[in-house]
Amino acid sequence: MKSLLRAAWKTPKSAVRVACRWRTQVAAAKSPLNYAVRNLKHELQDDGHMRRGRPGSATKRNYQMFESLVDSRFAEVLEDWGPWASNQDEYRSFGLTSQSLLDREVGLFKMVLDKAFTLAMEKGDTSRQENPLFWNLRNAFIKHEARGLSRELKYAFQTFLMRSRFPKAVNQLHMELADLRFPYEWYPATRMLQRTIHLHVGPTNSGKTYNALKALENSRTGIYAGPLRLLAHEVWNRITAKNKACALITGEELRIPSNTDTWYHSCTVEMTPLNALVDVAVIDEIQMIANDDRGWAWTQAFLGVQAREVHLCGEERVVDLIQDLCARLGEKCIVHRYKRLNPLESMGKSLKGNFKNLQKGDAVVAFSRVSIHQLKAGIEKETGRRCAIVYGGLPPETRASQAALFNDPNNDYDYLAASDAIGMGLNLEIKRVVFESSYKFDGQAFRPLSIPEIKQIGGRAGRYRTAAQEIAGRSSAPTTGFVTALDDEDLRDIQKAFRTEVPPIQIAGIFPPPAILERFHSYFPPRTPISFVLARLREISRLSSRFQLCDFTTAMQIAEIIKPYDLSVSDQCVFLHIPVNLRDQRQLLALQAFAECVAQLGLGRLLDFGVIDLEILDIQRPDTAYAEQAEYLRRLESLHQIITMYLWLSYRYQGVFQSQHLAFKVKSLVEEKIALHLEALNFVPEAQRSRRQRMRAMAARTEMKERTLLGADEYEDAAAVVHNEEGHEDDEPLFEGPDEVGGGGSAETEAAKEARATASG
C-alpha cells in the first residue's frame, strides 16, 4: 500500500507554502463534526507546542478528528457527483464504465486515505515529501476550511482515478511537459539579451526606489512595474510631468500616448509588456516574488522583461535568491544596499483607544474602506481637526489632493486615515504611524499581520523628503519616525515584529504560461475539465529548488465555474486570472454570463447582461435600517467588482465586450454612491472597540487553529515567510467581516452574532 500511495501521489514539490490563514466560518458546515473541529484548541493545547517527531496523544486525537472530517467530506463529494448512472459521461472520462467499478475505486481510494493518516499518526510523517496526500488535504483545510477540503478531495480522487488511464508513453510525455525546472527558457527573446541586473535593497524610506526611478528617467525608453495601480498612476504622473510620453497600463485601464512612436510604460506588474525592447525596466517590491497568489507576476516580469538594465527594488531578504537566479541566467547582478534615511522606533505606549491622544502628522492605518471612513469621522468628532483620507480605491486626483492637504503644514488637516497601501511607497509626510489593529481580513479569515507587513507599513513614519520637496528642491532634516497602535493588545504585536528578523526568501513563484497549459491539455481526452488538468500538472510537475507553483485554488475554482461553456483552452486560460470574488453569488453569475458570451462570440453589450445589478443605481441610500444599509453597500460593492471584471475582459476581447465607455461611466457612478455612503458613516467608540476585540479574538483563534494542525515548528516556518499582500492589484476590501457594513452602530447581523460567538469559543 505504501508503494501505491507514493505512485498515486508523487511528491508535489510544486505544492505551495502554507499561508497563515484560516477562514473563520460563520455559517455551519454540513458536517456534524464542525462543532468539534471548531473547538479543537480546547482539547489539543499541547499539539501547538509539539516538536517534530512521533506525535503525542493530543496530536493523534487531532488527526483522528481530522480523518473523520475527511471521511465525511469525501462522502459528500461522492453524493454531489452522483451515482454512475446519472453522470455517465463524466465518469467515463475517468475510465469508469459501471457503478461496480466506481465502488471499487472508491474503496481503493479510502485505503490510500487511511494509509496517509496512518503515516501521520504513527510516524509523524506530515511533510510534502513524506506524505503529500495528507499535506495537500491539511493545507487545503487550513487555507479554505471545509469547502477547500472538499475541493481538494475531489481533485485527489480524480487524480487517483487517472493513475492507470494513460499509456506509459503518454505518462512519460506528461512528465516531460510538466518539467518546469527552467522557467527562464519560456522567454527566448529575453535570453538573447545580455542584461545587467541592479538590485536595490534596504528598509522602507531608504531611497532605493528613488534611485531606481532616476535611472528610468535618464533612459530613452523604459518600463515601471509595481504592485499597485496607485503606484503605476504615481509614476505615470511623475514621468508625464516632465513632458515625457508615458503609457499607463493596468488591469482595467489603458492610456497610450498619441503622436509618438516611443514612450515609457507605467504598469501593474501583471501587465508588464514582455515584447517591448527598452533601455531600463524598474520592478518594484521584488520581495513579492515569493507571494503565494501573485508571485508568478514578479517572476515573469523579472525573467521576461526585455531591458538592457533591470532595476529591482525590495527588501534585503531577497538578495540571495536574485543573485542565484542571475547566476543561472548568466547575467551580471549588482547589489546596491541602502540604509534608512531617518531613525524609526516602536513606541512604548498606545493611544489607549482615545483619538484625543493623536498628534499632528499622525496616520492611522486600517484595512478596509469602511474602517477608514469610520476612523475619519471619529477623529474629526473627537479632535475638532480635519483628517485627510488615502487608500488605493480613491480616484488618483482625489488621492493626490488628499495627500497634498495632509502634507501641507499650514492648514487644519492634522491627521490621516489610510489603508496599508501607504506601505507601498506613497509620498506622505507622516510623523507617526498608528495601527488601528495588528490583524486584517485577507478574504478568508482574520489573520495577524505578518512581520514584513508591519515593518513596511510602520516604516512610512518619519519621511525624509516628500515629492513636493523634491520638485521644489527643498530639504528637511530627517526626524525620527514612531510606530504605535490604537490599543495596547495590538502594540505588543507591533513591538514584537520590530524586534524580529525575517529569514531570507528562498523561492520564487511561477504559474505555467498558457502555451504550456494548452499543450499539456492536448494530451488528455476531449473535454477534460481544465481544473483537472491543473490538478494533474500541480501533482506531477518538477521544479528546481528555487521555484514553487503559486496557489492553483482560485484558478481551479474558476475553471469549474466556466466548465459548462464551450470555451477554447486559450480562452479558459484567460479567464483563470480574472479578478473575481468567488464568495459573491452575483459575481459568479456575472462570470458565467461573460464566459457564455465569449463562447458564443456574442455582442457583450453591458446593458444586455441581465445579471448585472444596474437597478441599484436608482436606489437611494437607506437612512435607518441596519440590514438594509448592509445589503445596499454589498450590492454596490458587487456591482463595482462586476464592472471591473467587464473592463478587464474588454481589453482582452475588444470585439466582444464593446461597452467600455459605458462601463467606465457606470463604474464612476457606483464609486460616487459608495463614497456618499462612506461619508455618511458614524463612529461609535464602544461599538468599534467591541468590534476590534471580537476581530482580535478571531485572529487569535485563527493562529491557534493553525498551530493545532501544523505543530509549532511548521507554524513558525510558515508565519515567518508569509507576506500575502492584496491578491489582485490594490483595491482594499470595502468592509472586513459581517458586522462592519452597517455604519458602526450597535446592531448586529445574525452572521455577526455567530462570528462573535465563535470568536468567544
Side-chain angles (χ1 to χ4, degrees):
M1 182 53 66
K2 190 169 184 178
S3 61
L4 175 61
L5 173 69
R6 297 197 182 277
W9 280 273
K10 183 177 178 181
T11 301
K13 296 179 182 177
S14 59
V16 295
R17 182 180 294 117
V18 175
C20 285
R21 299 183 296 186
W22 181 307
R23 182 171 56 82
T24 301
Q25 195 166 340
V26 296
K30 294 181 181 178
S31 170
L33 296 162
N34 184 58
Y35 178 81
V37 172
R38 287 189 326 198
N39 288 279
L40 277 177
K41 77 167 187 176
H42 301 298
E43 303 174 20
L44 309 175
Q45 293 292 340
D46 63 319
D47 189 31
H49 304 286
M50 183 191 74
R51 313 311 293 177
R52 284 191 175 96
R54 289 186 178 275
S57 59
T59 303
K60 288 184 178 180
R61 290 197 305 270
N62 178 9
Y63 291 162
Q64 286 169 353
M65 187 170 291
F66 184 44
E67 183 177 20
S68 297
L69 180 63
V70 167
D71 290 341
S72 174
R73 282 285 157 173
F74 183 51
E76 292 177 6
V77 167
L78 294 175
E79 182 180 351
D80 291 340
W81 214 354
W84 183 88
S86 63
N87 198 11
Q88 293 185 32
D89 290 343
E90 188 165 2
Y91 280 126
R92 287 182 185 276
S93 69
F94 290 100
L96 301 176
T97 56
S98 67
Q99 182 66 45
S100 61
L101 188 56
L102 171 59
D103 294 340
R104 175 180 175 274
E105 292 296 310
V106 169
L108 288 173
F109 182 69
K110 287 182 177 179
M111 292 173 65
V112 175
L113 285 174
D114 181 67
K115 183 63 176 180
F117 277 91
T118 298
L119 288 173
M121 288 187 281
E122 300 301 327
K123 297 184 178 181
D125 293 346
T126 61
S127 70
R128 287 176 292 180
Q129 292 73 26
E130 298 164 334
N131 197 349
L133 175 57
F134 178 87
W135 191 92
N136 282 341
L137 294 175
R138 188 181 61 174
N139 186 39
F141 186 41
I142 288 174
K143 294 177 68 176
H144 304 288
E145 249 206 50
R147 281 184 289 184
L149 177 60
S150 295
R151 286 193 300 267
E152 187 62 37
L153 278 166
K154 180 179 179 180
Y155 298 140
F157 184 48
Q158 289 177 340
T159 302
F160 181 79
L161 293 176
M162 297 294 282
R163 68 193 185 284
S164 59
R165 184 80 170 119
F166 300 109
K168 184 176 180 180
V170 174
N171 267 320
Q172 183 61 37
L173 187 58
H174 282 181
M175 296 297 294
E176 292 176 3
L177 291 174
D179 187 350
L180 309 179
R181 291 175 296 171
F182 312 105
Y184 28 83
E185 295 180 355
W186 300 344
Y187 312 99
T190 308
R191 300 288 77 78
M192 298 293 292
L193 300 175
Q194 189 62 40
R195 305 185 304 174
T196 299
I197 310 299
H198 293 267
L199 180 57
H200 303 262
V201 295
T204 307
N205 196 19
S206 59
K208 53 186 183 295
T209 305
Y210 172 83
N211 284 283
L213 289 176
K214 281 295 185 183
L216 176 65
E217 293 170 358
N218 292 331
S219 65
R220 188 177 62 88
T221 57
I223 296 170
Y224 170 82
L228 308 175
R229 286 194 299 272
L230 65 89
L231 289 181
H233 270 281
E234 191 171 88
V235 173
W236 179 78
N237 285 327
R238 176 174 177 152
I239 293 176
T240 54
K242 298 183 177 182
N243 296 319
K244 296 182 179 182
C246 184
L248 176 65
I249 309 171
T250 70
E252 57 189 71
E253 189 172 9
L254 180 65
R255 301 184 192 179
I256 301 296
S258 57
N259 304 321
T260 181
D261 294 329
T262 59
W263 55 76
Y264 294 85
H265 299 77
S266 184
C267 55
T268 47
V269 69
E270 286 87 351
M271 305 301 293
T272 304
L274 302 182
N275 57 349
L277 180 62
V278 298
D279 295 326
V280 171
V282 174
I283 303 175
D284 210 355
E285 305 295 346
I286 189 61
Q287 73 276 357
M288 286 188 69
I289 199 170
N291 184 266
D292 204 24
D293 299 311
R294 297 177 66 197
W296 63 269
W298 273 262
T299 304
Q300 172 184 274
F302 168 54
L303 297 179
V305 69
Q306 296 187 50
R308 295 176 178 87
E309 283 187 14
V310 180
H311 292 256
L312 310 175
C313 306
E315 300 175 13
E316 175 73 30
R317 60 197 179 106
V318 81
V319 170
D320 290 345
L321 173 63
I322 296 300
Q323 286 181 324
D324 184 67
L325 293 180
C326 287
R328 298 178 186 220
L329 297 172
E331 294 178 336
K332 184 179 181 181
C333 180
I334 303 173
V335 180
H336 307 269
R337 287 183 166 88
Y338 301 83
K339 294 183 178 180
R340 186 175 167 87
L341 298 174
N342 63 327
L344 180 67
E345 297 179 11
S346 60
M347 299 185 68
K349 61 181 180 179
S350 72
L351 269 59
K352 307 296 182 183
N354 190 347
F355 290 140
K356 291 182 179 179
N357 291 325
L358 286 170
Q359 302 170 5
K360 183 178 177 63
D362 282 355
V364 185
V365 176
F367 302 102
S368 74
R369 281 173 277 169
V370 167
S371 288
I372 293 167
H373 280 268
Q374 287 176 336
L375 285 173
K376 177 180 186 295
I379 290 170
E380 292 183 341
K381 178 181 178 180
E382 293 292 324
T383 66
R385 305 292 291 176
R386 302 297 300 274
C387 178
I389 192 165
V390 169
Y391 55 87
L394 280 176
E397 297 78 11
T398 304
R399 192 166 55 236
S401 65
Q402 289 287 302
L405 287 171
F406 175 71
N407 287 337
D408 186 352
N410 300 315
N411 60 32
D412 59 349
Y413 280 82
D414 288 355
Y415 314 114
L416 175 70
S419 74
D420 51 342
I422 65 170
M424 291 290 185
L426 291 175
N427 284 299
L428 296 163
E429 197 164 352
I430 299 169
K431 295 180 180 178
R432 183 171 65 168
V433 168
V434 180
F435 284 82
E436 185 208 18
S437 63
S438 59
Y439 54 84
K440 68 183 293 188
F441 186 73
D442 64 0
Q444 300 293 334
F446 284 90
R447 64 165 177 84
L449 292 173
S450 68
I451 294 170
E453 284 175 315
I454 290 174
K455 287 186 173 181
Q456 188 161 38
I457 297 168
R460 292 302 165 189
R463 293 287 294 176
Y464 182 68
R465 295 178 78 185
T466 65
Q469 289 172 331
E470 292 174 12
I471 293 172
R474 293 187 286 111
S475 62
S476 60
T479 57
T480 300
F482 294 98
V483 184
T484 187
L486 200 56
D487 299 320
D488 287 339
E489 297 91 332
D490 296 310
L491 181 58
R492 288 192 288 268
D493 296 332
I494 306 300
Q495 292 170 334
K496 181 180 177 181
F498 275 90
R499 294 194 303 265
T500 305
E501 291 297 324
V502 183
I505 291 173
Q506 302 290 342
I507 301 175
I510 61 172
F511 194 95
I516 288 181
L517 289 178
E518 289 180 41
R519 189 176 177 196
F520 193 64
H521 190 280
S522 68
Y523 289 96
F524 288 81
R527 303 189 65 81
T528 299
I530 198 169
S531 57
F532 171 72
V533 174
L534 288 170
R536 171 74 170 165
L537 181 61
R538 183 189 66 175
E539 207 67 37
I540 68 173
S541 60
R542 300 169 63 196
L543 294 106
S544 77
S545 59
R546 285 301 194 181
F547 296 103
Q548 69 170 2
L549 284 177
C550 286
D551 191 357
F552 276 23
T553 304
T554 300
M556 289 193 286
Q557 287 180 258
I558 292 173
E560 285 289 304
I561 293 167
I562 65 177
K563 182 172 64 174
Y565 308 105
D566 189 20
L567 291 167
S568 68
V569 178
S570 176
D571 288 332
Q572 291 181 69
C573 290
V574 171
F575 273 85
L576 295 182
H577 296 292
I578 192 170
V580 59
N581 179 2
L582 295 173
R583 303 172 69 197
D584 182 352
Q585 186 62 29
R586 296 184 183 94
Q587 292 186 56
L588 295 185
L589 293 174
L591 175 60
Q592 291 172 329
F594 295 155
E596 183 178 15
C597 184
V598 172
Q600 297 177 355
L601 294 177
L603 295 177
R605 291 186 288 261
L606 186 67
L607 299 179
D608 292 341
F609 290 103
V611 297
I612 299 181
D613 184 20
L614 296 175
E615 291 78 10
I616 189 63
L617 295 175
D618 297 324
I619 299 176
Q620 297 301 313
R621 176 183 183 269
D623 292 329
T624 55
Y626 173 90
E628 291 179 7
Q629 285 189 14
E631 180 59 20
Y632 175 78
L633 193 55
R634 288 192 188 98
R635 287 178 65 183
L636 285 174
E637 174 70 353
S638 181
L639 177 58
H640 186 270
Q641 292 179 325
I642 288 171
I643 297 301
T644 298
M645 290 166 56
Y646 185 95
L647 289 169
W648 190 88
L649 287 167
S650 71
Y651 288 114
R652 291 151 179 85
Y653 299 99
Q654 295 182 5
V656 176
F657 299 95
Q658 302 177 6
S659 304
Q660 190 181 84
H661 293 296
L662 177 60
F664 273 116
K665 178 62 177 177
V666 171
K667 183 171 179 281
S668 176
L669 292 173
V670 175
E671 289 170 348
E672 288 177 12
K673 280 187 166 289
I674 290 176
L676 288 173
H677 179 88
L678 295 177
E679 289 170 3
L681 293 177
N682 295 319
F683 185 89
V684 182
E686 284 302 320
Q688 291 304 310
R689 188 175 297 110
S690 297
R691 174 185 167 271
R692 291 199 300 273
Q693 290 173 349
R694 290 195 301 273
M695 299 305 107
R696 192 178 295 119
M698 294 171 75
R701 186 176 180 85
T702 297
E703 185 177 8
M704 177 58 72
K705 283 184 175 181
E706 288 169 356
R707 287 182 178 274
T708 299
L709 271 187
L710 288 175
D713 284 355
E714 289 183 80
Y715 173 80
E716 294 301 335
D717 290 346
V721 297
V722 165
H723 189 186
N724 272 326
E725 291 82 0
E726 289 301 315
H728 199 90
E729 298 188 357
D730 62 330
D731 276 343
E732 296 81 9
L734 186 55
F735 44 81
E736 291 187 292
D739 64 337
E740 191 183 29
V741 296
S746 59
E748 287 184 292
T749 62
E750 289 304 313
K753 293 176 182 177
E754 172 65 19
R756 179 162 54 86
T758 301
S760 64

